[in-house]
Amino acid sequence: MVSYNPTYDQLWAPIYGPAHPYAKDGLAQGLRNHKLGFVENAAIDSFVFDEQYNTFHKYGYAADPSASAVNNYVGDFDALEKNRAISVYNIPQSEQKRRRLEKKRENEEEDEVVDKAEVENPASDSWLVKNKISPWSGKKEGLPTELTEEQKKYAEEYAKKKAEERGEKVEKGEVVVEKTTFHGKEEKDYQGRPWISPPKDVKATNDHCYIPKRCVHTWSGHTKGVSAIRFFPKYGHLILSAGMDTKVKIWDVFGLGKCMRTYMGHSKAVRDICFTNDGTKFLSAGYDKNIKLWDTETGQVISTFSTGKVPYVVKLNPDDDKQNVLLAGMSDKKIVQWDMNTGEITQEYDQHLGAVNTITFVDNNRRFVTSSDDKSLRVWEYGIPVVIKYISEPHMHSMPAISVHPNTNWLAAQSLDNQILIYSTRERFQLNKKKRFAGHIVAGYACQVNFSPDGRFVMSGDGEGKMWFWDWKTCKVFRTLKCHEGVCIGCEWHPLEQSKVATCGWDGLIKYW
């Protein structure tokens, strides 16, 4: 039995009542639908509100929202009577016609007042209004036929900019005449095999890696620092080096240890190099804003790529069927993807806030991880320019070098706060807080980090010319070697001779340990 039957108005009345003991403004949490309390929708359409609001601002009157009667108004009643209660949105046709006639009459009256001489004087405003002709009509001068030098320059720059926006290929890097010099005895052996083919008897000497103890060979030929080294894929019988003297050189590892070929095609320091899977070609990226694809054997430049920005890292897709796909991390925060067969840019990954330093493929090459000067890691699905994972913490530093563990489950990232951090390559890409490798000084240098082929050791150069080795399981320092004068920037473990390591430094030397 209902003891009290409220009316409809009472049921829909605003909420009142005693203050709630735990609420600041007296409303219980469940009764809120807004930060400031409880808000009800008014039964007024937004169009109607706009109409009345604008009418009030223009004419000084509006319909009274609180009155139930239709013809109740507030504001200036004289204006209401004069305008016959029209709003800004519903002026009737007859009213519009009346206003047009009134305006026309006013203009005619004004014309009558104007002096006749004024109207006949072409220099006066009255004449212009009457004849509606531009004061410049009839003063057509011949179009200029010759452009000035400044105008020509501006036109060229504008055309180049437009071509860039449309994605057309514009030569933007510095143009350099490519040269190459072969230093070996002969380019083909007595069996007709090219000099880059691996020796027939090379195979892995053992499955167990050991830390090297002494230097067995030194390659010297670069006149300035060496910024990167790469062993020939699978065999390691040759080693490629990128120099700050603008040259790329390739050296013999198994034989006499001589320089086999010099590739000269950049006008500024070479920043990064990358072999194709079969080693017959390689990429080089220089500070002259060019990326070049070279034939390893002949030294010919097959193609050149450029966006007008400095490429900091170049990477080929590791899949054998995608060896024509080039990814480059640029100084303008983008990762640019080229199809090397056509020379066209097929994708741009543009999310970073700083220059891109590394590109590392993970998850069977379906994804890749990039690091940048913006102190973040971003994970991308290959071919899709949307970040699927973004890692950025307040305590993170820039990570200018990243390597994948041989079991592909972990990434080692060289952090500029003098430690190596380990991230999982599985779905979450989480930081492994139990594994961190420290002791070396790398702040300010992009020293490469690397693994032994069996995954037991982690190694990295440092800013004082030392090479550091850590045990992967215990994270303890296993050994340090003094390798270079100045910075030891690059380190590579030999793919087959598993107790041998190559290092390069800013003293211009490459050492084999």
Side-chain angles (χ1 to χ4, degrees):
M1 181 181 169
V2 179
S3 58
Y4 173 66
N5 197 9
T7 64
Y8 177 85
D9 289 340
Q10 287 170 325
L11 277 173
W12 290 96
I15 296 168
Y16 299 112
H20 194 275
Y22 302 120
K24 287 180 187 175
D25 51 7
L27 271 181
Q29 193 63 37
L31 297 176
R32 289 171 172 274
N33 62 3
H34 190 268
K35 279 188 275 192
L36 304 175
F38 185 84
V39 179
E40 289 184 326
N41 281 338
I44 180 168
D45 189 49
S46 60
F47 174 79
V48 176
F49 177 82
D50 285 348
E51 181 183 28
Q52 296 303 328
Y53 176 84
N54 291 322
T55 303
F56 189 81
H57 276 273
K58 185 165 185 181
Y59 299 130
Y61 58 84
D64 186 356
S66 61
S68 55
V70 178
N71 292 326
N72 274 12
Y73 285 88
V74 291
D76 187 349
F77 290 103
D78 295 335
L80 179 76
E81 201 171 319
K82 184 186 171 189
N83 292 320
R84 301 174 193 173
I86 59 167
S87 77
V88 285
Y89 292 162
N90 64 355
I91 301 172
Q93 289 286 335
S94 58
E95 183 67 21
Q96 289 178 26
K97 193 174 180 183
R98 185 181 66 78
R99 288 186 179 186
R100 276 201 298 272
L101 287 168
E102 275 183 14
K103 197 167 185 184
K104 194 175 178 185
R105 219 172 284 130
E106 282 171 16
N107 289 342
E108 282 171 4
E109 284 169 10
E110 279 176 17
D111 287 349
E112 284 171 20
V113 174
V114 174
D115 185 16
K116 195 179 179 185
E118 279 276 294
V119 177
E120 288 172 2
N121 180 11
S124 68
D125 291 340
S126 308
W127 185 88
L128 289 175
V129 171
K130 189 84 176 167
N131 293 280
K132 291 190 171 56
I133 294 175
S134 161
W136 308 110
S137 62
K139 291 188 185 177
K140 287 183 182 175
E141 293 177 7
L143 291 169
T145 49
E146 280 296 314
L147 292 173
T148 64
E149 285 300 316
E150 201 174 325
Q151 286 170 326
K152 281 179 187 170
K153 192 178 175 186
Y154 177 79
E156 280 171 17
E157 284 174 6
Y158 184 78
K160 194 186 265 189
K161 190 179 173 187
K162 282 290 170 195
E164 276 179 43
E165 284 172 11
R166 289 196 299 271
E168 292 176 12
K169 191 182 175 189
V170 181
E171 196 63 47
K172 305 165 194 86
E174 295 176 25
V175 180
V176 183
V177 179
E178 290 104 2
K179 290 189 293 184
T180 181
T181 311
F182 182 68
H183 306 289
K185 280 185 180 174
E186 50 199 3
E187 297 200 19
K188 296 248 190 313
D189 66 2
Y190 69 97
Q191 289 181 317
R193 296 189 311 157
W195 62 272
I196 64 163
S197 55
K200 287 193 170 168
D201 56 347
V202 294
K203 59 183 188 294
T205 50
N206 51 30
D207 297 333
H208 204 70
C209 292
Y210 298 94
I211 304 282
K213 293 178 182 172
R214 62 190 179 86
C215 181
V216 292
H217 191 79
T218 301
W219 292 286
S220 60
H222 285 288
T223 54
K224 291 183 182 173
V226 180
S227 51
I229 48 171
R230 302 281 182 269
F231 275 112
F232 195 93
K234 295 185 190 134
Y235 301 103
H237 63 292
L238 298 167
I239 189 167
L240 190 70
S241 63
M244 295 180 193
D245 56 359
T246 75
K247 293 172 185 161
V248 178
K249 288 176 179 279
I250 194 162
W251 314 79
D252 181 24
V253 175
F254 284 171
L256 299 170
K258 293 199 315 183
C259 178
M260 296 301 289
R261 192 180 272 286
T262 303
Y263 308 87
M264 294 164 281
H266 290 280
S267 62
K268 289 183 181 167
V270 184
R271 164 83 190 208
D272 194 26
I273 43 177
C274 177
F275 269 117
T276 56
N277 284 358
D278 58 3
T280 56
K281 303 182 191 77
F282 70 88
L283 288 160
S284 65
Y287 283 101
D288 58 357
K289 303 175 184 174
N290 286 323
I291 300 166
K292 302 208 171 192
L293 177 66
W294 302 79
D295 185 300
T296 313
E297 184 190 341
T298 63
Q300 297 297 311
V301 173
I302 299 163
S303 46
T304 303
F305 311 93
S306 176
T307 64
K309 298 288 183 285
V310 178
Y312 281 171
V313 55
V314 283
K315 246 322 186 274
L316 283 169
N317 189 312
D319 288 339
D320 287 330
D321 60 340
K322 296 194 185 81
Q323 286 291 287
N324 61 319
V325 177
L326 153 66
L327 288 162
M330 314 301 281
S331 59
D332 65 344
K333 315 167 191 174
K334 292 179 183 173
I335 299 117
V336 183
Q337 181 177 313
W338 275 276
D339 182 342
M340 293 197 295
N341 294 343
T342 61
E344 289 178 4
I345 294 173
T346 54
Q347 192 62 268
E348 277 190 356
Y349 306 84
D350 185 9
Q351 294 271 322
H352 275 294
L353 307 173
V356 180
N357 294 322
T358 66
I359 299 171
T360 313
F361 279 88
V362 294
D363 194 13
N364 294 327
N365 309 326
R366 288 198 295 268
R367 295 177 178 157
F368 60 93
V369 182
T370 58
S371 69
S372 158
D373 288 349
D374 62 7
K375 303 180 184 175
S376 72
L377 293 177
R378 288 169 207 247
V379 185
W380 313 76
E381 202 84 45
Y382 168 72
I384 303 169
V386 179
V387 173
I388 58 169
K389 178 79 179 177
Y390 169 57
I391 305 164
S392 179
E393 301 290 342
H395 56 76
M396 275 172 66
H397 286 67
S398 187
M399 297 178 186
I402 290 180
S403 248
V404 185
H405 191 276
N407 69 11
T408 70
N409 290 342
W410 305 100
L411 286 176
Q414 184 80 267
S415 179
L416 287 188
D417 57 348
N418 300 327
Q419 58 181 344
I420 295 168
L421 303 175
I422 306 297
Y423 287 89
S424 159
T425 59
R426 294 285 165 250
E427 294 299 314
R428 305 281 298 282
F429 287 91
Q430 280 180 313
L431 175 66
N432 186 337
K433 291 177 181 170
K434 291 180 182 173
K435 281 197 189 297
R436 55 180 284 278
F437 303 90
H440 58 323
I441 308 294
V442 288
Y445 304 107
C447 294
Q448 192 184 347
V449 57
N450 229 316
F451 290 96
S452 60
D454 63 357
R456 285 177 58 227
F457 300 109
V458 182
M459 68 168 173
S460 165
D462 80 350
E464 296 171 346
K466 290 180 188 163
M467 173 64 59
W468 291 68
F469 296 90
W470 293 267
D471 188 285
W472 169 253
K473 281 186 178 169
T474 63
C475 301
K476 288 179 180 169
V477 177
F478 202 93
R479 182 172 298 154
T480 59
L481 296 171
K482 176 67 176 166
C483 295
H484 295 272
E485 295 299 321
V487 184
C488 175
I489 198 80
C491 55
E492 285 264 317
W493 214 291
H494 196 284
L496 296 179
E497 301 225 10
Q498 298 182 340
S499 60
K500 292 197 174 168
V501 168
T503 65
C504 67
W506 285 4
D507 54 2
L509 301 177
I510 304 153
K511 295 191 178 181
Y512 195 38
W513 301 81

